[in-house]
Amino acid sequence: MRELAKKRLSANFKQSTKYLALVFNDFFVLALIFIFGAVMFWYAKIMKVLPAGKWYYPLILAGILWIASLPGKLVTLFQEADRQFLFTQDDAVKDYLDEMRGYSRLLPAILIGITAAILYPFASLKVGLNGSNYLFLVLALYWGKMAEQQVVSQEFTFDHRVKRASWLARGLTLAMLLAALYLIPQIAGIVILIPVAASFFLKKRGEKRQGQVFDWQYAIDYETERKDLVYTAFSLFTDVREKRVNIRRRKYLDFLLPSLKKETANSFLFRRSLLRNPEYLNLLARMTAFIVLISLMIADWTWTVPIAFLILYLTVWQLLPLAENYDRNIMYRVYPIDQAKKGQDLSRVLSWALFLQAIVVAAVWLIALPKEKILSVGLLLLWTLLLAKVYLPYKTKEVEKRARYGKKSGRRK
Amino acid sequence: MTLEITNLTGGYSGIPVIKNVNLTVEKGQALGLIGLNGAGKSTTIKHLLGLLRPQKGTITLDGVDLAKQPAQFKKKVAYIPETPVIYPELTLKEHIELTMLAYDLGEDSWDKANELLTMFRLQEKLDWLPVHFSKGMQQKVMIVCAFLTKAELLVIDEPFTGLDPLAVANFIDLIKQACAEGREVLMTTHVLADAQQAIKTYAILNQGTIEFVGSLPEIRAHYGLKETDSFDKLYQVLYQEESRDQHA
């Protein structure tokens, strides 16, 4: 089982490296450096004027450090087929998970390390912790994270207590940090003894629990959920082939759906996809929220209006792949659905989404913009009409062409 | 109303899997297409549904040529796949509504839909997403949608997998009813014991060609099966033929 774990870890590392390289591309790194520089500049400035020794500083320090310790679940890399092929390997699972725990320590180490390094000036100058004290406190936090992963690795039984156990471990870690900073600030680092003792106790507990029935399905579901989270994070920056789409019913959005008489088969499908497929709905919600946020933050119509126009355009542009959502569904191709009108129907549905978005934005502008509310809303409606009546029909004609003559005639290869 | 497949040759990447297939399904007839795995049953069905372009040959239904009038042809065909294909975003009710939209069925089709939903014990699940159903339940959704259409030809691919005996009995009744209404049924299956209840004529597909078409007694006589032999023994005979051909 140790060999299997090593093999899977190596494959997982390769996959993660591939996606990380795509995420941290040149532009993103440049933007990150810029943002980091700006934040550090602000941080340095604020450190000069911030008074020392306020009562809530330990709370801020403990809070930020604790939040940095939250990511980094236990990586198990269990697969659906394990339920069948490793079913008889309950006794060897401990060895497998031991290997996995080694790998799982990496991400928390990086995150806690970077956060602790950034917070060091604040901890030493404003909270009053000396270097070694702070170092041991951070190590205690890291050891607490390892104890959390250790306890999770012991809870894949039919009691289904992984979530409860990990939140209990996290809660205790936060309590430990707060207690150390408020009760014994001069020797705060001494709390490292607590997670060390906990690890020792958990090791003994693990030995005692050896022989308990391992719940494979529970462990596989845990890993699927964890992987989904990772893929979702990657998918914010790049296409992730392995990402599973979790469709949800979202009955509360049904009021937005028009009656059957007003629908064609294509528009019927596209509209439901838009409202229930998280890829599309989240995009629409995210972009709308972005416009609202920008409007509230800038509150100057000369800036807000052009930025909103750009985001509205980007929204529909990013929603265009909806056209291909059913291309691989055999029933979609077998049913007598008019493929040639696909583009036209898509244009109708995207215009509908665009107007929904515009209505929300207009409402916010009418409330929040200090000047030229009516003019801004008028321009917004004009732009929405332009996108719906000119841009979308033009773009979706390409979709029609692809449907009529096959993919080769389309732009995409 | 007749389905006519004439000299159909086709396959994947230019390599023919089926060769010169000739088949006719008459009005009110249910034809069973049987053969070993890899004989070309699914390939034949894919051609019939317009999912593959034939290298040679024609497919017509009631005079409508699939290659020339695909939209009209598709309106006349309903399909039940071997593995249920569900729209993840649609509820059961919406699967029915989509079928109504695609096949231009009126609101009055809900009477028929409710009858089918009750028959397959799905009437309480209209607001559920079938993507979360068991395989058998999903197959029932496929059956309900296919029989809801007034399609002249029902193409059914390995339908019995995952269905409980009650559902199988109801399904067989529906096939008999469809034939009585003058519709045509083309079905592939390995579960001959169940298929025999609704299908009287079979086409034997072996290594991509139609080897024989006939009733059960005619098939027994053609392949030298005794009266006491199970119909499943046909597969052993086909396998022996295939092995012999490969060695030759």
Side-chain angles (χ1 to χ4, degrees), chain A residues 46-192:
Chain A
I46 212 159
M47 285 301 288
K48 284 179 192 159
V49 293
L50 213 61
K54 291 280 181 191
W55 69 268
Y56 51 83
Y57 287 170
L59 190 68
I60 294 172
L61 181 66
I64 297 175
L65 283 173
W66 182 72
I67 288 168
S69 77
L70 292 181
K73 281 180 159 188
L74 175 72
V75 178
T76 67
L77 303 182
F78 285 128
Q79 298 172 7
E80 201 58 48
D82 291 349
R83 197 176 41 174
Q84 185 79 18
F85 294 99
L86 301 182
F87 189 63
T88 55
Q89 300 291 316
D90 281 19
D91 292 341
V93 162
K94 189 184 168 299
D95 293 341
Y96 177 93
L97 288 175
D98 282 349
E99 284 291 330
M100 291 294 166
R101 272 173 44 216
Y103 178 84
S104 308
R105 288 170 191 155
L106 194 65
L107 181 65
I110 294 169
L111 290 178
I112 293 173
I114 292 173
T115 314
I118 292 170
L119 284 177
Y120 179 63
F122 177 71
S124 60
L125 298 172
K126 306 299 171 189
V127 184
L129 296 176
N130 67 39
S132 57
N133 210 10
Y134 182 62
L135 178 69
F136 278 106
L137 188 73
V138 171
L139 284 175
L141 174 68
Y142 179 58
W143 217 295
K145 184 69 190 177
M146 286 196 290
E148 178 199 319
Q149 292 180 346
Q150 200 173 355
V151 76
V152 166
S153 72
Q154 294 172 4
E155 294 296 343
F156 292 121
T157 62
F158 283 88
D159 293 332
H160 294 188
R161 288 191 303 208
V162 161
K163 270 193 183 144
R164 208 186 315 162
S166 53
W167 277 107
L168 181 70
R170 287 167 187 171
L172 289 172
T173 308
L174 180 63
M176 175 191 77
L177 287 178
L178 289 171
L181 289 170
Y182 277 110
L183 302 177
I184 45 168
Q186 298 311 314
I187 47 166
I190 203 165
V191 292
I192 194 170

Side-chain angles (χ1 to χ4, degrees), chain A residues 247-249 251 254 257 260-261 263-266 268-269 272-274 276-277 280 325-326 329-337 339, chain B residues 46 49 51 71 74-75 77 79 81 85-91 94-95 97-103 107 127 129 132 142 145-146:
Chain A
I247 306 291
R248 289 174 60 192
R249 171 71 179 84
K251 202 171 179 174
D254 280 3
L257 297 168
L260 200 61
K261 283 175 191 155
E263 295 280 35
T264 64
N266 278 316
F268 183 87
L269 282 168
R272 276 146 188 86
S273 211
L274 195 62
R276 293 176 192 162
N277 186 326
Y280 303 115
N325 201 36
Y326 296 104
N329 185 314
I330 284 188
M331 293 314 278
Y332 180 69
R333 287 153 66 196
V334 169
Y335 264 38
I337 295 174
Q339 303 281 332
Chain B
K46 279 180 186 166
L49 297 171
L51 296 171
K74 279 185 176 184
K75 288 244 184 225
V77 180
Y79 172 54
V85 183
I86 295 292
Y87 291 97
E89 295 93 351
L90 300 193
T91 63
E94 287 165 345
H95 274 84
E97 287 174 340
L98 177 70
T99 308
M100 290 177 171
L101 278 173
Y103 284 89
E107 280 285 311
D127 201 34
L129 294 173
H132 300 308
M142 296 279 97
C145 290

Side-chain angles (χ1 to χ4, degrees), chain A residues 14 43 73 124 157 186 197 240 247 254 281 301 310 360 379-380 392:
Chain A
K14 264 188 204 160
Y43 182 48
K73 281 180 159 188
S124 60
T157 62
Q186 298 311 314
V240 181
I247 306 291
D254 280 3
L281 185 69
W301 76 279
L310 178 68
V360 175
L379 287 171
L380 174 74
L392 276 173

Side-chain angles (χ1 to χ4, degrees), chain B residues 100-202:
Chain B
M100 290 177 171
L101 278 173
Y103 284 89
D104 294 331
L105 303 173
E107 280 285 311
D108 54 331
S109 296
W110 266 111
D111 294 339
K112 174 83 175 162
N114 284 325
E115 190 188 309
L116 289 163
L117 289 165
T118 310
M119 183 184 275
F120 289 101
R121 298 187 299 119
L122 288 170
Q123 71 276 29
E124 302 295 326
K125 303 203 170 351
L126 274 173
D127 201 34
W128 293 38
L129 294 173
V131 74
H132 300 308
F133 287 178
S134 68
K135 195 196 168 201
M137 297 256 289
Q138 289 183 346
Q139 190 67 327
K140 288 178 183 176
V141 176
M142 296 279 97
I143 293 171
V144 168
C145 290
F147 280 95
L148 178 64
T149 69
K150 289 164 184 158
E152 287 161 26
L153 172 68
L154 288 156
V155 181
I156 306 169
D157 195 3
E158 286 291 350
F160 301 115
T161 331
L163 290 183
D164 59 56
L166 182 66
V168 169
N170 286 329
F171 178 59
I172 287 167
D173 284 346
L174 284 174
I175 294 176
K176 286 179 184 169
Q177 199 184 317
C179 291
E181 287 166 6
R183 297 156 84 181
E184 295 116 69
V185 176
L186 180 71
M187 181 163 93
T188 73
T189 184
H190 294 299
V191 190
L192 299 177
D194 288 324
Q196 282 175 58
Q197 296 176 54
I199 297 175
K200 301 299 169 212
T201 312
Y202 295 86

Side-chain angles (χ1 to χ4, degrees), chain A residues 217-228:
Chain A
Q217 192 55 56
Y218 183 54
I220 290 163
D221 290 346
Y222 164 89
E223 179 61 17
T224 311
E225 204 178 297
R226 188 197 69 80
K227 270 195 162 165
D228 271 352

